[in-house]
Amino acid sequence: MKKFLLASAIAFSTLSFAQIDFSSTRFGVTAGGNYSRVKNAHNPSGPRFTFQAGALALIPMGKENQFFLQPEVLYYGAGETGKDKDAKGIDGYNAVYANDYLSVPIYFKGYFSEAESEFFGLVGPRFNFLLSQNVKNAPLKRAYYDPDLVDPANPGVNGKAKSFNWGIGLGIGYSYKRQLELALKYDLGISDTYPGLKREPNGSDKNKSEQVISLGLSYIFQ
């Protein structure tokens, strides 16, 4: 929570001092592929390949045509599977732990120059609101993932994904005439994705960090 409040304070401070021109806001659509994992959660653990798609706004900051605020609203697939390359044949290899979110990243975006076609960088917080959690082929020893099999005496031991989590996103990309843009992003989860797993027998107290690498294409309308 302290980290969340700190990030929010930094974001609001940036907005209060920036010369934001909402009247010149441009809108666009974006979509891409996601490679996601969750650290310290399941064993075996492997990547989940999914996608993201949604809309964005490009809001000028300052008089130069170089710095912008870019909020987005996305369907955002994340989670993990059991497909560790060293775990073939092990119970849980075919498991899928799918977390799907309504995701709201708010990026500070800077182009490397004022040129029409140019590289750019992105940095900012990402806020994820859980839409659905779907677990398939989990090992029987992880029966607490099934709500019907949760021990009534230990309702917290259920492996349920947190309804809200947040992280920090970084990215770099290339813009063609400030309209068609390709971006590679890395999102590092700060909050604990599965707080209940700490109460699992032999569970780890380490933070279950959800991490996503994505490659996306955006089209920004004039």
Side-chain angles (χ1 to χ4, degrees):
M1 179 59 71
K2 291 181 180 179
K3 293 179 180 178
F4 171 73
L5 293 175
L6 177 60
S8 299
I10 293 173
F12 282 117
S13 296
T14 300
L15 293 178
S16 63
F17 287 104
Q19 297 178 2
I20 299 179
D21 182 8
F22 289 102
S23 64
S24 298
T25 299
R26 296 168 60 197
F27 297 93
V29 292
T30 184
N34 288 2
Y35 170 99
S36 68
R37 305 193 73 151
V38 183
K39 191 175 181 181
N40 303 316
H42 304 106
N43 186 22
S45 174
R48 181 189 182 210
F49 295 93
T50 179
F51 70 97
Q52 59 177 283
L56 63 84
L58 192 63
I59 308 169
M61 300 176 66
K63 297 181 180 179
E64 300 83 6
N65 189 29
Q66 192 169 357
F67 301 107
F68 296 82
L69 192 66
Q70 183 170 302
E72 302 177 3
V73 178
L74 308 165
Y75 166 85
Y76 186 79
E80 65 176 333
T81 67
K83 295 191 180 299
D84 183 334
K85 63 180 180 180
D86 297 321
K88 290 184 178 180
I90 293 178
D91 189 22
Y93 179 77
N94 292 316
V96 177
Y97 309 94
N99 301 328
D100 297 321
Y101 299 96
L102 173 67
S103 184
V104 183
I106 304 175
Y107 293 115
F108 170 75
K109 182 178 189 178
Y111 292 91
F112 292 2
S113 76
E114 294 186 66
E116 268 198 335
S117 297
E118 181 57 282
F119 288 94
F120 60 85
L122 297 161
V123 62
R126 177 183 289 275
F127 306 101
N128 292 328
F129 303 87
L130 187 68
L131 295 175
S132 66
Q133 177 185 15
N134 190 12
V135 179
K136 297 179 181 178
N137 304 320
L140 292 178
K141 63 182 179 181
R142 298 190 182 277
Y144 47 80
Y145 281 103
D146 186 341
D148 295 329
L149 299 179
V150 171
D151 182 353
N154 298 285
V157 185
N158 55 23
K160 183 172 177 56
K162 202 170 183 180
S163 60
F164 169 79
N165 66 54
W166 74 284
I168 298 295
L170 301 169
I172 189 168
Y174 183 77
S175 177
Y176 177 70
K177 295 187 176 181
R178 302 293 180 96
Q179 195 161 23
L180 188 64
E181 299 189 342
L182 183 69
L184 179 67
K185 301 175 184 176
Y186 171 65
D187 297 313
L188 172 64
I190 303 298
S191 57
D192 195 335
T193 304
Y194 299 108
L197 289 186
K198 293 180 180 179
R199 295 183 291 274
E200 171 195 357
N202 300 318
S204 171
D205 288 333
K206 294 181 179 179
N207 197 52
K208 281 58 174 180
S209 172
E210 198 161 33
Q211 304 174 19
V212 180
I213 297 173
S214 64
L215 182 64
L217 189 65
S218 300
Y219 183 82
I220 303 170
F221 303 105
Q222 295 287 6

